[in-house]
Amino acid sequence: MPRVVDHEERRHELAEAAWRVIVKHGLEGTTTRLIAKESGYSAGVLAHYFESKDAILLEALRISHDGVDRRIREAVDDKEGFDALRTFCIEVLPISEQPARETHLEMSFWSRALVNDELRSVQRSESSRWRRFLEGLIVSAQRSGELVEMPTRTVAVLLSAVIDGLSIYGLLYPDRFGKAELIEFLDKFLATFKPGGVEADSKRSGGNSDGSRSRSQARSRVYQT
């Protein structure tokens, strides 16, 4: 009796193969031939499920976004206030293999999205969804008194910009920006949004009252990049 094919599962397998090829060869080096080889299926099977290279790349991006979304929501599920916000930020940094792959894939699409309306639309839509989730965490931390009163959108945009910047550093300079360094820089930035700013956070953590040493060390690391 012929085996029943789960078409959604097959599409998922092909899209994940495309993801692995992009990480190995970059977006420009990714071809349908390499994707077919990585998946273990023929080019004909690939063509049956996806009408173009961009179509399979788009599916790979959606799969990546879904995975990130599930991981983040599970990570913050049992947390509240500032703790939930900090957890969100850490979860999207490339500090372990899976987030690094996701970040690599996301950044690989940026330049292509500039000239591809469908890819740009998907990225804008996903970015808006994550921004709303992030803004909800910011509002929660503000209501609990753990974050200064500032326009939610302002905090979200600044946080997103810093996370993107740290992620780029983490991928390009892994010898200079490992897990500990990325989290340290993130924490220093987050501290500026706490009531009292860096100085208050330094006192709470038992550090220098003026926080000068920590800021000096952070600046020194940045200038060395």
Side-chain angles (χ1 to χ4, degrees):
M1 183 177 180
R3 177 175 176 268
V4 178
V5 176
D6 185 328
H7 294 288
E8 281 305 310
E9 181 181 347
R10 179 69 54 82
R11 282 178 62 88
H12 192 91
E13 288 178 16
L14 294 168
E16 286 201 325
W19 185 3
R20 294 193 297 270
V21 173
I22 292 169
V23 173
K24 290 178 185 176
H25 302 282
L27 200 59
E28 295 306 316
T30 296
T31 64
T32 53
R33 182 182 61 81
L34 285 174
I35 295 171
K37 181 179 179 181
E38 177 70 24
S39 70
Y41 294 109
S42 68
V45 170
L46 189 65
H48 175 74
Y49 285 94
F50 298 99
E51 62 184 17
S52 66
K53 175 182 171 179
D54 277 347
I56 190 170
L57 296 181
L58 188 61
E59 186 69 12
L61 185 63
R62 286 192 176 114
I63 288 174
S64 177
H65 286 172
D66 288 344
V68 174
D69 188 66
R70 284 194 301 272
R71 192 180 70 250
I72 290 174
R73 291 181 185 278
E74 289 174 0
V76 304
D77 184 57
D78 60 343
K79 296 177 175 59
E80 298 178 351
F82 186 84
D83 189 26
L85 176 62
R86 178 177 182 270
T87 298
F88 172 97
C89 296
I90 290 176
E91 280 296 320
V92 295
L93 288 176
I95 57 177
S96 60
E97 184 177 355
Q98 184 66 12
R101 290 178 66 219
E102 292 161 348
T103 303
H104 190 155
L105 181 68
E106 187 73 21
M107 292 182 178
S108 295
F109 275 89
W110 285 356
S111 60
R112 196 176 186 91
L114 291 175
V115 296
N116 184 299
D117 290 341
E118 189 173 14
L119 283 177
R120 184 166 62 252
S121 176
V122 169
Q123 288 202 308
R124 285 172 63 89
S125 175
E126 294 297 300
S127 176
S128 295
R129 177 161 63 100
W130 290 348
R131 182 69 57 77
R132 289 193 297 271
F133 186 51
L134 174 59
E135 289 179 351
L137 296 176
I138 292 169
V139 169
S140 177
Q142 288 176 328
R143 287 175 176 169
S144 66
E146 299 172 278
L147 220 61
V148 295
E149 290 299 325
M150 183 183 293
T152 305
R153 182 173 182 271
T154 299
V155 180
V157 169
L158 291 173
L159 268 178
S160 298
V162 167
I163 289 169
D164 284 345
L166 289 176
S167 296
I168 292 172
Y169 279 0
L171 290 185
L172 292 179
Y173 313 113
D175 56 324
R176 302 177 190 175
F177 293 91
K179 177 177 179 179
E181 287 77 16
L182 292 177
I183 292 177
E184 178 186 356
F185 278 111
L186 174 65
D187 280 337
K188 291 302 177 186
F189 186 72
L190 284 171
T192 65
F193 293 104
K194 286 189 172 184
V198 175
E199 287 77 8
D201 186 61
S202 180
K203 290 178 180 179
R204 282 192 291 269
S205 62
N208 294 333
S209 60
D210 63 359
S212 59
R213 182 179 177 185
S214 296
R215 290 196 296 275
S216 176
Q217 289 174 335
R219 285 196 297 269
S220 176
R221 287 199 185 96
V222 172
Y223 295 150
Q224 292 172 3
T225 56

Coordinates of all heavy atoms in Angstrom, one line a residue, residues 40-89:
G40 N 17.5 15.8 0.8 CA 17.5 14.4 0.5 C 16.4 14.1 -0.5 O 16.2 12.9 -0.9
Y41 N 15.7 15.1 -1.0 CA 14.7 15.0 -2.1 C 15.2 15.5 -3.4 O 16.2 16.2 -3.5 CB 13.4 15.7 -1.7 CG 12.7 15.2 -0.5 CD1 12.7 15.9 0.7 CD2 12.1 13.9 -0.5 CE1 12.1 15.4 1.9 CE2 11.5 13.4 0.6 CZ 11.5 14.1 1.8 OH 10.8 13.6 2.9
S42 N 14.5 15.1 -4.5 CA 14.9 15.6 -5.8 C 14.5 17.0 -6.1 O 13.6 17.6 -5.4 CB 14.3 14.7 -6.9 OG 12.9 14.8 -6.9
A43 N 15.1 17.6 -7.1 CA 14.8 19.0 -7.5 C 13.3 19.0 -7.9 O 12.6 20.0 -7.8 CB 15.7 19.4 -8.6
G44 N 12.8 17.9 -8.5 CA 11.4 17.8 -8.9 C 10.5 17.9 -7.7 O 9.4 18.5 -7.9
V45 N 10.8 17.2 -6.6 CA 10.0 17.3 -5.4 C 10.0 18.7 -4.9 O 8.9 19.3 -4.5 CB 10.5 16.3 -4.4 CG1 9.8 16.6 -3.0 CG2 10.3 14.9 -4.8
L46 N 11.1 19.4 -4.9 CA 11.2 20.7 -4.5 C 10.3 21.7 -5.3 O 9.6 22.5 -4.8 CB 12.7 21.2 -4.5 CG 13.0 22.6 -3.9 CD1 12.8 22.5 -2.4 CD2 14.5 22.9 -4.2
A47 N 10.4 21.5 -6.6 CA 9.6 22.3 -7.5 C 8.1 22.0 -7.4 O 7.3 22.9 -7.6 CB 10.0 22.0 -9.0
H48 N 7.7 20.8 -6.9 CA 6.3 20.5 -6.7 C 5.7 21.3 -5.6 O 4.6 21.7 -5.6 CB 6.2 19.0 -6.4 CG 4.8 18.6 -6.1 ND1 3.8 18.5 -7.0 CD2 4.2 18.2 -4.9 CE1 2.7 18.1 -6.4 NE2 2.9 17.9 -5.1
Y49 N 6.5 21.6 -4.5 CA 6.0 22.2 -3.3 C 6.3 23.8 -3.4 O 5.5 24.5 -2.7 CB 6.7 21.7 -2.1 CG 6.2 20.3 -1.7 CD1 6.8 19.1 -2.2 CD2 5.0 20.2 -1.0 CE1 6.3 17.9 -1.9 CE2 4.5 18.9 -0.6 CZ 5.1 17.8 -1.1 OH 4.6 16.5 -0.8
F50 N 7.3 24.2 -4.1 CA 7.6 25.6 -4.1 C 7.9 26.1 -5.6 O 8.7 25.5 -6.3 CB 8.8 25.9 -3.3 CG 8.6 25.6 -1.8 CD1 9.1 24.4 -1.3 CD2 8.0 26.5 -0.9 CE1 9.0 24.1 0.0 CE2 7.8 26.2 0.4 CZ 8.3 25.0 0.9
E51 N 7.2 27.1 -6.0 CA 7.3 27.6 -7.3 C 8.6 28.3 -7.7 O 8.9 28.5 -8.8 CB 6.1 28.4 -7.7 CG 6.0 29.7 -6.9 CD 4.7 30.5 -7.1 OE1 3.8 30.0 -7.7 OE2 4.7 31.7 -6.8
S52 N 9.3 28.8 -6.6 CA 10.5 29.6 -6.9 C 11.4 29.5 -5.7 O 11.0 29.0 -4.6 CB 10.2 31.0 -7.2 OG 9.6 31.6 -6.0
K53 N 12.6 29.9 -5.9 CA 13.6 30.0 -4.8 C 13.1 30.9 -3.7 O 13.2 30.6 -2.5 CB 15.0 30.5 -5.3 CG 16.0 30.7 -4.2 CD 17.3 31.2 -4.8 CE 18.3 31.6 -3.7 NZ 19.6 32.1 -4.2
D54 N 12.5 32.1 -4.1 CA 12.1 33.0 -3.1 C 10.9 32.4 -2.2 O 10.8 32.7 -1.1 CB 11.6 34.3 -3.8 CG 12.7 35.3 -4.0 OD1 13.8 35.1 -3.5 OD2 12.5 36.2 -4.8
A55 N 10.1 31.6 -2.9 CA 9.0 31.0 -2.1 C 9.5 30.1 -1.0 O 8.9 30.1 0.1 CB 8.1 30.2 -3.1
I56 N 10.5 29.3 -1.3 CA 11.0 28.4 -0.2 C 11.8 29.2 0.8 O 11.8 28.9 2.0 CB 11.9 27.3 -0.8 CG1 12.2 26.2 0.3 CG2 13.2 27.8 -1.4 CD1 12.8 25.0 -0.2
L57 N 12.5 30.3 0.4 CA 13.2 31.1 1.4 C 12.2 31.8 2.3 O 12.4 31.9 3.5 CB 14.0 32.2 0.6 CG 15.1 31.6 -0.2 CD1 15.9 32.8 -0.9 CD2 16.1 30.8 0.6
L58 N 11.0 32.2 1.7 CA 10.0 32.8 2.5 C 9.4 31.9 3.6 O 9.2 32.2 4.7 CB 8.9 33.3 1.6 CG 7.8 34.2 2.3 CD1 8.4 35.5 2.9 CD2 6.7 34.5 1.2
E59 N 9.2 30.6 3.2 CA 8.7 29.6 4.1 C 9.8 29.3 5.2 O 9.4 29.2 6.4 CB 8.5 28.3 3.3 CG 7.8 27.2 4.2 CD 6.4 27.5 4.6 OE1 5.8 28.5 4.0 OE2 5.8 26.8 5.4
A60 N 11.1 29.3 4.8 CA 12.1 29.1 5.9 C 12.1 30.3 6.9 O 12.3 30.0 8.1 CB 13.5 29.1 5.2
L61 N 11.8 31.5 6.4 CA 11.8 32.6 7.3 C 10.6 32.5 8.2 O 10.7 32.8 9.4 CB 11.7 33.9 6.5 CG 11.8 35.2 7.3 CD1 13.1 35.4 8.0 CD2 11.5 36.4 6.3
R62 N 9.5 32.1 7.7 CA 8.3 31.9 8.5 C 8.5 30.9 9.6 O 8.1 31.1 10.8 CB 7.1 31.6 7.7 CG 6.5 32.7 6.8 CD 5.2 32.3 6.2 NE 4.6 33.4 5.5 CZ 4.4 33.4 4.2 NH1 4.8 32.4 3.4 NH2 3.8 34.5 3.5
I63 N 9.1 29.8 9.2 CA 9.4 28.7 10.2 C 10.3 29.2 11.3 O 10.1 28.9 12.5 CB 10.0 27.5 9.5 CG1 9.0 26.8 8.7 CG2 10.6 26.5 10.5 CD1 9.5 25.7 7.8
S64 N 11.3 30.0 10.9 CA 12.2 30.6 11.9 C 11.5 31.5 12.9 O 11.6 31.4 14.1 CB 13.3 31.3 11.2 OG 14.2 32.0 12.1
H65 N 10.6 32.3 12.3 CA 9.9 33.3 13.2 C 8.9 32.5 14.1 O 8.8 32.9 15.3 CB 9.0 34.2 12.3 CG 9.8 35.2 11.6 ND1 9.3 36.1 10.6 CD2 11.1 35.6 11.7 CE1 10.3 36.9 10.2 NE2 11.4 36.6 10.9
D66 N 8.3 31.5 13.7 CA 7.4 30.7 14.5 C 8.2 30.1 15.7 O 7.7 30.0 16.8 CB 6.7 29.6 13.7 CG 5.6 30.2 12.8 OD1 5.2 31.3 13.0 OD2 5.2 29.4 11.9
G67 N 9.4 29.6 15.4 CA 10.2 28.9 16.4 C 10.6 29.9 17.4 O 10.6 29.7 18.6
V68 N 11.1 31.1 17.0 CA 11.5 32.2 17.9 C 10.3 32.6 18.8 O 10.4 32.7 20.0 CB 12.0 33.4 17.1 CG1 12.3 34.6 18.1 CG2 13.2 33.1 16.4
D69 N 9.1 32.7 18.2 CA 7.9 33.2 18.9 C 7.6 32.2 20.0 O 7.3 32.5 21.2 CB 6.8 33.3 18.0 CG 5.5 33.9 18.6 OD1 5.6 35.1 19.0 OD2 4.5 33.2 18.8
R70 N 7.6 30.9 19.7 CA 7.3 29.8 20.7 C 8.3 29.9 21.8 O 8.0 29.8 23.0 CB 7.3 28.5 20.0 CG 6.0 28.2 19.2 CD 5.9 26.7 18.9 NE 7.1 26.2 18.2 CZ 7.2 26.2 16.9 NH1 6.2 26.7 16.1 NH2 8.3 25.8 16.3
R71 N 9.6 30.0 21.5 CA 10.6 29.9 22.5 C 10.5 31.1 23.5 O 10.7 31.0 24.7 CB 12.0 29.9 21.9 CG 13.1 29.6 22.9 CD 14.5 29.5 22.2 NE 15.0 30.9 21.9 CZ 15.1 31.3 20.6 NH1 14.8 30.5 19.6 NH2 15.5 32.5 20.4
I72 N 10.3 32.3 22.9 CA 10.2 33.5 23.7 C 9.0 33.4 24.7 O 9.1 33.7 25.9 CB 10.1 34.7 22.9 CG1 11.4 35.0 22.1 CG2 9.7 35.9 23.7 CD1 11.4 36.1 21.1
R73 N 7.9 33.0 24.1 CA 6.7 33.0 25.0 C 6.8 31.9 26.1 O 6.3 32.1 27.2 CB 5.4 32.7 24.1 CG 5.1 33.8 23.2 CD 3.9 33.6 22.3 NE 3.7 34.7 21.4 CZ 3.1 35.9 21.7 NH1 2.6 36.0 22.9 NH2 2.9 36.8 20.8
E74 N 7.4 30.8 25.8 CA 7.7 29.8 26.8 C 8.6 30.3 27.9 O 8.5 30.1 29.1 CB 8.2 28.5 26.2 CG 7.2 27.7 25.4 CD 7.8 26.6 24.6 OE1 9.1 26.4 24.8 OE2 7.1 25.9 23.9
A75 N 9.6 31.1 27.5 CA 10.7 31.6 28.4 C 10.1 32.6 29.4 O 10.5 32.7 30.5 CB 11.8 32.2 27.6
V76 N 9.2 33.4 28.9 CA 8.6 34.5 29.8 C 7.3 34.1 30.4 O 6.8 34.9 31.2 CB 8.4 35.8 28.9 CG1 9.7 36.2 28.3 CG2 7.3 35.7 27.9
D77 N 6.8 32.9 30.1 CA 5.5 32.5 30.6 C 5.3 32.6 32.1 O 4.3 33.0 32.6 CB 5.2 31.1 30.1 CG 3.8 30.6 30.5 OD1 2.8 31.3 30.1 OD2 3.7 29.6 31.2
D78 N 6.4 32.2 32.9 CA 6.3 32.2 34.3 C 7.0 33.4 35.0 O 7.3 33.4 36.2 CB 6.9 30.9 34.9 CG 8.4 30.8 34.5 OD1 8.9 31.5 33.6 OD2 9.1 30.0 35.2
K79 N 7.2 34.5 34.2 CA 7.9 35.6 34.7 C 7.0 36.9 34.6 O 6.1 36.9 33.8 CB 9.2 35.9 33.9 CG 10.2 34.7 34.1 CD 11.5 34.9 33.3 CE 12.5 33.8 33.6 NZ 12.0 32.5 33.4
E80 N 7.4 37.9 35.4 CA 6.6 39.1 35.4 C 7.5 40.3 35.4 O 8.7 40.2 35.7 CB 5.7 39.2 36.6 CG 4.6 38.0 36.7 CD 3.8 38.1 38.0 OE1 4.2 38.9 38.9 OE2 2.8 37.4 38.1
G81 N 6.9 41.5 35.0 CA 7.6 42.7 35.1 C 9.0 42.8 34.4 O 9.1 42.3 33.3
F82 N 9.9 43.4 35.1 CA 11.3 43.6 34.5 C 11.9 42.3 34.2 O 12.6 42.2 33.2 CB 12.1 44.4 35.5 CG 13.5 44.8 34.9 CD1 13.6 45.9 34.1 CD2 14.6 44.0 35.1 CE1 14.8 46.2 33.5 CE2 15.8 44.3 34.6 CZ 15.9 45.4 33.8
D83 N 11.7 41.2 35.0 CA 12.3 39.9 34.7 C 11.8 39.4 33.4 O 12.6 38.8 32.7 CB 11.9 39.0 35.9 CG 12.7 37.7 35.8 OD1 13.8 37.6 35.2 OD2 12.2 36.7 36.3
A84 N 10.6 39.5 33.1 CA 10.0 39.0 31.8 C 10.6 39.8 30.7 O 11.0 39.2 29.6 CB 8.5 39.2 31.8
L85 N 10.7 41.1 30.8 CA 11.3 42.0 29.8 C 12.8 41.6 29.5 O 13.2 41.4 28.3 CB 11.2 43.4 30.2 CG 11.9 44.5 29.2 CD1 11.2 44.4 27.9 CD2 11.8 45.9 29.8
R86 N 13.5 41.4 30.6 CA 15.0 41.1 30.4 C 15.1 39.7 29.7 O 15.9 39.5 28.9 CB 15.7 41.0 31.8 CG 17.1 40.6 31.7 CD 17.8 40.7 33.1 NE 19.2 40.3 33.0 CZ 19.6 39.1 33.2 NH1 18.8 38.1 33.4 NH2 20.9 38.9 33.1
T87 N 14.2 38.8 30.1 CA 14.3 37.4 29.5 C 14.0 37.5 28.0 O 14.6 36.8 27.2 CB 13.2 36.5 30.2 OG1 13.6 36.4 31.6 CG2 13.2 35.1 29.6
F88 N 13.0 38.3 27.7 CA 12.7 38.4 26.2 C 13.9 38.9 25.5 O 14.3 38.3 24.4 CB 11.6 39.5 26.1 CG 11.3 39.9 24.7 CD1 10.3 39.3 23.9 CD2 12.1 40.9 24.0 CE1 10.0 39.6 22.6 CE2 11.8 41.2 22.7 CZ 10.8 40.6 22.0
C89 N 14.6 39.9 26.0 CA 15.8 40.5 25.3 C 16.9 39.5 25.2 O 17.6 39.4 24.2 CB 16.2 41.7 26.1 SG 15.1 43.1 26.1

